[in-house]
Amino acid sequence: MQPRTSRLPLQNPVAHGTDDDPRLAAELSAALAAARRRAVRDGDRQIDTAHLLHSLLEQDPQVRTVLGGGPQLARLLGYLVQRSIGFGLRWQSGVEHAGDAGSLLPVGLVGAVGAVGDGLSPLAAEALEHACVRAERRGARTAGGVDLLAAIVAEPRARAVEVLDHAAVDIPELRARIDDGTEGASAFTG
């Protein structure tokens, strides 16, 4: 009989990041930390925009308000929960990337693209940076969840946009409502 040995998990770059950027509001820092935990739990090598969207919906009431509520929000959360058995299996083969090379890069090329920094996909890192710029432009000291949501939905190749589309969210309407500050109406189409 062979002795039982425990397998040590492979080093996961997502597990070692920090979420204490002073440019992020408390809700956004909490959402980033939750996205990091979700990615580690799911065995993902990066935090992508779908992880961020899922965590924003759980952590930030303003983001939930922007998207509306009711059955549509439940449907969106259902799609996000399914990522590990549906979308996630397809997404594990590549890294979310917004560059000219397309939306996915093979996992082995991540370092060549400019590092994923703190375990974020290049597109997720870019979205966080854009959220900070958006907050600065509107005179805020810190970026909030709606700032990040605006940055995410501005990139049509984001995995989060794919999930929103599957959940029947009208992306152009959502972008317009965020930009206009009219977050009260629902962005769902049906």
Side-chain angles (χ1 to χ4, degrees), residues 18 46 61 66 73 103 112 142 170-171 178 181-182:
T18 61
Q46 65 176 347
V66 168
L73 187 58
S103 62
T142 58
D170 184 335
I171 304 295
I178 290 170
T182 55

Side-chain angles (χ1 to χ4, degrees), residues 14 19 29-42 44 46-56 58-59 120:
V14 175
D19 308 313
S29 289
L32 182 55
R36 185 174 309 285
R37 288 189 302 273
R38 176 170 284 108
V40 169
R41 182 191 65 228
D42 293 347
D44 294 334
Q46 65 176 347
I47 300 167
D48 63 26
T49 58
H51 289 116
L52 292 173
L53 176 62
H54 196 162
S55 295
L56 283 172
E58 290 177 339
Q59 302 290 327
L120 295 168

Side-chain angles (χ1 to χ4, degrees), residues 5 16-17 19 36 39-40 53 60 68 77 87 89-91 93 101 105 112 118 129 135 141 145 147 167:
T5 58
H16 302 292
D19 308 313
R36 185 174 309 285
V40 169
L53 176 62
D60 194 324
L77 284 167
F87 295 123
L89 293 176
R90 181 171 45 98
W91 289 341
S93 65
L105 293 175
D118 286 287
E129 200 54 45
R141 290 188 2 222
D147 294 313

Side-chain angles (χ1 to χ4, degrees), residues 3-9:
R4 293 183 75 176
T5 58
S6 64
R7 292 183 183 195
L8 295 175

Side-chain angles (χ1 to χ4, degrees), residues 42 44 48 50-51 79-94 159 162-163:
D42 293 347
D44 294 334
D48 63 26
H51 289 116
Y79 278 114
L80 287 162
V81 167
Q82 290 177 14
R83 69 172 278 126
S84 62
I85 58 174
F87 295 123
L89 293 176
R90 181 171 45 98
W91 289 341
Q92 287 176 351
S93 65
R159 290 175 180 170
E162 184 178 343
V163 171

